Amino acid sequence: MTAHPRRLHDRELAGLREQLLSLGSKVESQFAGSLQALAERDAEAARLVEAAASQVSRLAVEIDEACRRILAVRKRAARDLRFVAAALKMQMDLERMGNLTVGLARSAVGLAQAPPRSGVGDLVSLARLTQQQLRATLDALARTDAAMAQRVVDADGHLDAAYLRFFHRLLGAMIEDSGAIEQATGVLFAAKHLERFGEHCTSLAEIVIGLSRRADARHSHGQGAIRAGGEALASGRGR
């Protein structure tokens, strides 16, 4: 009589984690489209990113509703409350990251005709670093891997340093050539999107670290939902 509700609840948590990974995959796809728009001056790629933005928003709402439904159905153990609270925070981070990809795509459209002096090439390099950070973050989430997530946190300093170098180079170019100020301002605006995107990656990684450490501290019987969800996510990413 008690085993069945527990198995059902574990499936609910695993399903929630699958939704989170699906949201992460959509954000990753959105970011790739924005990067393509930026690197290839591809207005159509940017349009597709904007058109798909509603999918990210819709799934984020579904995750929010699933979390609240899980909490409302029956009394929950403390570990379940921690996981659902973490899921709600991850959902918010991922939704905001989706919004940032749309902003980046719109910036790409505005920069499509910018000359080489504008710094777009360096911006693309910064975007590729951010993309690597995103991939590592989603892999850490899929595996609930604290070590992998910690590498994401550590790498944030390198991303920040790259952003600052980029900022100072572009600022110097603006000082030397006042005619480049308008275009350079657009590039800086896009770069700010990337900096904020990296901050959300770090936030997600820190949540993964917290979940992983709590899972490691529990008896193996108490890890069923986390393990089931992690296996489903790892399988879903196919990495």
Side-chain angles (χ1 to χ4, degrees):
M1 294 295 291
T2 58
H4 175 67
R6 182 69 256 175
R7 288 196 301 270
L8 177 61
H9 181 48
D10 286 351
R11 287 197 296 272
E12 288 175 335
L13 295 182
L16 176 59
R17 297 206 50 177
E18 289 177 4
Q19 286 182 298
L20 283 169
L21 181 58
S22 179
L23 179 57
S25 294
K26 289 184 184 299
V27 170
E28 187 175 26
S29 177
Q30 293 277 91
F31 190 92
S34 296
L35 180 54
Q36 178 183 341
L38 190 63
E40 301 178 11
R41 300 170 182 257
D42 188 339
E44 178 61 17
R47 188 192 67 77
L48 291 174
V49 169
E50 289 199 60
S54 60
Q55 298 176 15
V56 170
S57 297
R58 183 168 57 251
L59 184 52
V61 170
E62 289 175 3
I63 291 171
D64 181 86
E65 292 175 347
C67 288
R68 299 180 191 283
R69 185 169 59 250
I70 290 171
L71 292 174
V73 170
R74 63 180 74 88
K75 291 183 179 180
R76 306 295 177 177
R79 70 183 181 94
D80 297 339
L81 294 175
R82 285 194 297 266
F83 174 73
V84 176
L88 283 168
K89 178 63 171 66
M90 287 188 282
Q91 169 260 320
M92 288 188 288
D93 277 317
L94 288 167
E95 184 176 21
R96 288 168 184 166
M97 291 163 81
N99 293 337
L100 288 171
T101 64
V102 174
L104 186 61
R106 289 172 178 168
S107 295
V109 173
L111 296 170
Q113 304 303 318
R117 70 178 183 178
S118 66
V120 173
D122 289 338
L123 179 65
V124 170
S125 297
L126 186 63
R128 294 194 192 284
L129 286 176
T130 308
Q131 185 180 44
Q132 293 172 11
Q133 191 82 326
L134 172 61
R135 286 174 177 168
T137 301
L138 295 178
D139 283 342
L141 172 60
R143 295 164 173 77
T144 320
D145 189 325
M148 186 179 293
Q150 185 61 54
R151 288 194 290 272
V152 171
V153 174
D154 294 340
D156 184 60
H158 299 297
L159 190 61
D160 286 343
Y163 170 78
L164 285 175
R165 289 194 299 270
F166 172 82
F167 174 82
H168 288 302
R169 282 198 303 271
L170 201 57
L171 186 61
M174 292 167 67
I175 293 172
E176 292 178 4
D177 183 3
S178 60
I181 290 178
E182 183 176 354
Q183 291 173 344
T185 300
V187 174
L188 284 175
F189 188 73
K192 188 63 179 178
H193 284 329
L194 294 174
E195 183 193 33
R196 291 174 60 197
F197 201 95
E199 290 173 354
H200 286 297
C201 285
T202 300
S203 175
L204 287 169
E206 289 172 343
I207 295 170
V208 170
I209 291 170
L211 286 175
S212 178
R213 287 175 177 168
R214 291 187 183 105
D216 290 342
R218 293 196 301 268
H219 188 272
S220 59
H221 177 71
Q223 297 184 35
I226 296 295
R227 183 181 295 110
E231 289 173 354
L233 290 174
S235 175
R237 280 192 66 77
R239 300 190 187 282

